Amino acid sequence: QVQVVESGGGLVQAGGSLRLSCTASGLPFSSCGMGWFRQAPGKEREGVSSINCHGSSTYYTDSMKGRFTISRDNAKNTLYLQMNSLKPEDTAMYYCAARKYGFCSGSLLVADFGYWGQGTQVTVSS
């Protein structure tokens, strides 16, 4: 049984930082591209960042470039998202996801991911 569990969300002031973590079990983590997505109330889920299975290639949505950093530790089956210079518009539920069919490459497309966590809430106050 696949389990994807996010942690690390919370309330932070604008300009602050948070580090999200995601642990995955029941799947070949070191063979799977992984990604972070977010969804704000009334909006569609959008890609935030993604990383290939080796950790050698990373992808970011333009508005997150330079502020967010994705990384992974395959020995711990854990994915991370370091978020700096947070803005109120970053407020959303953040989801961790694993690629379908064990694809190694990263992607920012929701449809490319088959295993999702329950999400962790990030709220940035102004």
mmCIF file of all heavy atoms in Angstrom, residues 10-36:
data_model
loop_
_atom_site.group_PDB
_atom_site.id
_atom_site.type_symbol
_atom_site.label_atom_id
_atom_site.label_comp_id
_atom_site.label_asym_id
_atom_site.label_seq_id
_atom_site.Cartn_x
_atom_site.Cartn_y
_atom_site.Cartn_z
ATOM 1 N N GLY A 10 2.551 25.370 8.103
ATOM 2 C CA GLY A 10 2.238 26.191 9.269
ATOM 3 C C GLY A 10 1.951 27.616 8.883
ATOM 4 O O GLY A 10 1.767 27.934 7.703
ATOM 5 N N LEU A 11 1.917 28.473 9.891
ATOM 6 C CA LEU A 11 1.660 29.905 9.715
ATOM 7 C C LEU A 11 2.975 30.654 9.824
ATOM 8 O O LEU A 11 3.726 30.460 10.794
ATOM 9 C CB LEU A 11 0.678 30.381 10.777
ATOM 10 C CG LEU A 11 0.406 31.887 10.847
ATOM 11 C CD1 LEU A 11 -0.250 32.375 9.566
ATOM 12 C CD2 LEU A 11 -0.474 32.214 12.059
ATOM 13 N N VAL A 12 3.247 31.498 8.858
ATOM 14 C CA VAL A 12 4.498 32.257 8.847
ATOM 15 C C VAL A 12 4.216 33.656 8.321
ATOM 16 O O VAL A 12 3.283 33.856 7.530
ATOM 17 C CB VAL A 12 5.567 31.530 7.995
ATOM 18 C CG1 VAL A 12 5.142 31.457 6.531
ATOM 19 C CG2 VAL A 12 6.932 32.167 8.141
ATOM 20 N N GLN A 13 5.010 34.616 8.761
ATOM 21 C CA GLN A 13 4.857 35.971 8.257
ATOM 22 C C GLN A 13 5.510 36.114 6.892
ATOM 23 O O GLN A 13 6.437 35.361 6.548
ATOM 24 C CB GLN A 13 5.483 36.970 9.226
ATOM 25 C CG GLN A 13 4.714 37.140 10.531
ATOM 26 C CD GLN A 13 5.253 38.273 11.375
ATOM 27 O OE1 GLN A 13 6.439 38.589 11.307
ATOM 28 N NE2 GLN A 13 4.392 38.885 12.165
ATOM 29 N N ALA A 14 5.040 37.078 6.128
ATOM 30 C CA ALA A 14 5.629 37.356 4.826
ATOM 31 C C ALA A 14 7.127 37.606 4.980
ATOM 32 O O ALA A 14 7.563 38.291 5.914
ATOM 33 C CB ALA A 14 4.955 38.563 4.189
ATOM 34 N N GLY A 15 7.893 37.015 4.070
ATOM 35 C CA GLY A 15 9.345 37.112 4.136
ATOM 36 C C GLY A 15 10.001 35.973 4.898
ATOM 37 O O GLY A 15 11.225 35.824 4.862
ATOM 38 N N GLY A 16 9.189 35.178 5.578
ATOM 39 C CA GLY A 16 9.706 34.075 6.360
ATOM 40 C C GLY A 16 9.960 32.824 5.532
ATOM 41 O O GLY A 16 9.824 32.831 4.307
ATOM 42 N N SER A 17 10.330 31.760 6.235
ATOM 43 C CA SER A 17 10.691 30.499 5.577
ATOM 44 C C SER A 17 9.995 29.322 6.233
ATOM 45 O O SER A 17 9.657 29.365 7.421
ATOM 46 C CB SER A 17 12.210 30.278 5.661
ATOM 47 O OG SER A 17 12.919 31.296 5.009
ATOM 48 N N LEU A 18 9.809 28.296 5.437
ATOM 49 C CA LEU A 18 9.312 27.015 5.916
ATOM 50 C C LEU A 18 9.998 25.908 5.131
ATOM 51 O O LEU A 18 10.375 26.108 3.973
ATOM 52 C CB LEU A 18 7.793 26.888 5.716
ATOM 53 C CG LEU A 18 6.858 27.581 6.700
ATOM 54 C CD1 LEU A 18 5.414 27.438 6.226
ATOM 55 C CD2 LEU A 18 7.017 27.028 8.108
ATOM 56 N N ARG A 19 10.123 24.755 5.760
ATOM 57 C CA ARG A 19 10.651 23.584 5.063
ATOM 58 C C ARG A 19 9.630 22.465 5.142
ATOM 59 O O ARG A 19 9.298 21.994 6.235
ATOM 60 C CB ARG A 19 11.965 23.124 5.687
ATOM 61 C CG ARG A 19 12.663 22.032 4.884
ATOM 62 C CD ARG A 19 13.770 21.403 5.695
ATOM 63 N NE ARG A 19 14.700 20.646 4.863
ATOM 64 C CZ ARG A 19 15.483 19.671 5.322
ATOM 65 N NH1 ARG A 19 15.456 19.343 6.611
ATOM 66 N NH2 ARG A 19 16.309 19.044 4.507
ATOM 67 N N LEU A 20 9.147 22.065 3.998
ATOM 68 C CA LEU A 20 8.206 20.957 3.925
ATOM 69 C C LEU A 20 8.971 19.662 3.713
ATOM 70 O O LEU A 20 9.988 19.625 3.036
ATOM 71 C CB LEU A 20 7.218 21.154 2.783
ATOM 72 C CG LEU A 20 6.421 22.455 2.764
ATOM 73 C CD1 LEU A 20 5.423 22.440 1.611
ATOM 74 C CD2 LEU A 20 5.720 22.700 4.081
ATOM 75 N N SER A 21 8.433 18.593 4.295
ATOM 76 C CA SER A 21 8.994 17.261 4.108
ATOM 77 C C SER A 21 7.900 16.316 3.641
ATOM 78 O O SER A 21 6.709 16.525 3.926
ATOM 79 C CB SER A 21 9.590 16.733 5.410
ATOM 80 O OG SER A 21 10.648 17.537 5.866
ATOM 81 N N CYS A 22 8.301 15.281 2.948
ATOM 82 C CA CYS A 22 7.355 14.282 2.453
ATOM 83 C C CYS A 22 8.031 12.923 2.497
ATOM 84 O O CYS A 22 9.107 12.747 1.922
ATOM 85 C CB CYS A 22 6.946 14.622 1.031
ATOM 86 S SG CYS A 22 6.095 13.286 0.141
ATOM 87 N N THR A 23 7.421 11.991 3.171
ATOM 88 C CA THR A 23 7.930 10.628 3.178
ATOM 89 C C THR A 23 6.980 9.743 2.384
ATOM 90 O O THR A 23 5.754 9.906 2.450
ATOM 91 C CB THR A 23 8.091 10.080 4.598
ATOM 92 O OG1 THR A 23 6.814 10.147 5.256
ATOM 93 C CG2 THR A 23 9.082 10.896 5.393
ATOM 94 N N ALA A 24 7.535 8.820 1.635
ATOM 95 C CA ALA A 24 6.746 7.929 0.810
ATOM 96 C C ALA A 24 7.149 6.490 1.078
ATOM 97 O O ALA A 24 8.338 6.192 1.227
ATOM 98 C CB ALA A 24 6.926 8.259 -0.663
ATOM 99 N N SER A 25 6.162 5.611 1.124
ATOM 100 C CA SER A 25 6.423 4.194 1.324
ATOM 101 C C SER A 25 5.519 3.388 0.408
ATOM 102 O O SER A 25 4.511 3.888 -0.101
ATOM 103 C CB SER A 25 6.187 3.808 2.790
ATOM 104 O OG SER A 25 4.850 4.084 3.163
ATOM 105 N N GLY A 26 5.906 2.130 0.192
ATOM 106 C CA GLY A 26 5.088 1.266 -0.659
ATOM 107 C C GLY A 26 5.300 1.465 -2.142
ATOM 108 O O GLY A 26 4.538 0.947 -2.956
ATOM 109 N N LEU A 27 6.313 2.252 -2.508
ATOM 110 C CA LEU A 27 6.643 2.459 -3.915
ATOM 111 C C LEU A 27 8.163 2.564 -4.040
ATOM 112 O O LEU A 27 8.856 2.818 -3.064
ATOM 113 C CB LEU A 27 5.958 3.720 -4.462
ATOM 114 C CG LEU A 27 6.093 5.048 -3.710
ATOM 115 C CD1 LEU A 27 7.444 5.699 -3.935
ATOM 116 C CD2 LEU A 27 4.992 6.009 -4.142
ATOM 117 N N PRO A 28 8.674 2.363 -5.260
ATOM 118 C CA PRO A 28 10.129 2.434 -5.458
ATOM 119 C C PRO A 28 10.601 3.889 -5.489
ATOM 120 O O PRO A 28 10.874 4.447 -6.555
ATOM 121 C CB PRO A 28 10.334 1.736 -6.803
ATOM 122 C CG PRO A 28 9.051 1.980 -7.528
ATOM 123 C CD PRO A 28 7.969 1.967 -6.489
ATOM 124 N N PHE A 29 10.704 4.495 -4.314
ATOM 125 C CA PHE A 29 10.951 5.933 -4.201
ATOM 126 C C PHE A 29 12.156 6.369 -5.019
ATOM 127 O O PHE A 29 12.087 7.366 -5.749
ATOM 128 C CB PHE A 29 11.164 6.299 -2.727
ATOM 129 C CG PHE A 29 11.365 7.770 -2.491
ATOM 130 C CD1 PHE A 29 10.274 8.621 -2.349
ATOM 131 C CD2 PHE A 29 12.639 8.319 -2.407
ATOM 132 C CE1 PHE A 29 10.443 9.976 -2.133
ATOM 133 C CE2 PHE A 29 12.825 9.677 -2.191
ATOM 134 C CZ PHE A 29 11.717 10.506 -2.053
ATOM 135 N N SER A 30 13.242 5.647 -4.948
ATOM 136 C CA SER A 30 14.469 6.062 -5.627
ATOM 137 C C SER A 30 14.364 5.956 -7.149
ATOM 138 O O SER A 30 15.266 6.421 -7.854
ATOM 139 C CB SER A 30 15.656 5.243 -5.129
ATOM 140 O OG SER A 30 15.457 3.872 -5.411
ATOM 141 N N SER A 31 13.270 5.378 -7.647
ATOM 142 C CA SER A 31 13.058 5.276 -9.084
ATOM 143 C C SER A 31 12.001 6.244 -9.585
ATOM 144 O O SER A 31 11.735 6.296 -10.799
ATOM 145 C CB SER A 31 12.629 3.847 -9.468
ATOM 146 O OG SER A 31 13.602 2.911 -9.110
ATOM 147 N N CYS A 32 11.387 6.987 -8.678
ATOM 148 C CA CYS A 32 10.249 7.843 -9.033
ATOM 149 C C CYS A 32 10.599 9.318 -9.048
ATOM 150 O O CYS A 32 11.203 9.816 -8.082
ATOM 151 C CB CYS A 32 9.109 7.661 -8.030
ATOM 152 S SG CYS A 32 8.266 6.082 -8.131
ATOM 153 N N GLY A 33 10.193 9.988 -10.131
ATOM 154 C CA GLY A 33 10.198 11.441 -10.084
ATOM 155 C C GLY A 33 9.183 11.885 -9.040
ATOM 156 O O GLY A 33 8.151 11.230 -8.850
ATOM 157 N N MET A 34 9.486 12.976 -8.347
ATOM 158 C CA MET A 34 8.619 13.477 -7.283
ATOM 159 C C MET A 34 8.315 14.942 -7.521
ATOM 160 O O MET A 34 9.082 15.657 -8.179
ATOM 161 C CB MET A 34 9.296 13.315 -5.916
ATOM 162 C CG MET A 34 9.586 11.888 -5.510
ATOM 163 S SD MET A 34 8.116 10.915 -5.184
ATOM 164 C CE MET A 34 7.442 11.776 -3.751
ATOM 165 N N GLY A 35 7.207 15.390 -6.939
ATOM 166 C CA GLY A 35 6.848 16.784 -7.134
ATOM 167 C C GLY A 35 6.083 17.365 -5.962
ATOM 168 O O GLY A 35 5.519 16.637 -5.143
ATOM 169 N N TRP A 36 6.109 18.682 -5.908
ATOM 170 C CA TRP A 36 5.290 19.447 -4.968
ATOM 171 C C TRP A 36 4.272 20.241 -5.778
ATOM 172 O O TRP A 36 4.635 20.874 -6.788
ATOM 173 C CB TRP A 36 6.135 20.403 -4.148
ATOM 174 C CG TRP A 36 6.976 19.743 -3.104
ATOM 175 C CD1 TRP A 36 8.304 19.452 -3.172
ATOM 176 C CD2 TRP A 36 6.535 19.303 -1.810
ATOM 177 N NE1 TRP A 36 8.715 18.839 -2.013
ATOM 178 C CE2 TRP A 36 7.655 18.753 -1.160
ATOM 179 C CE3 TRP A 36 5.310 19.327 -1.142
ATOM 180 C CZ2 TRP A 36 7.591 18.215 0.132
ATOM 181 C CZ3 TRP A 36 5.242 18.804 0.135
ATOM 182 C CH2 TRP A 36 6.373 18.253 0.762
#
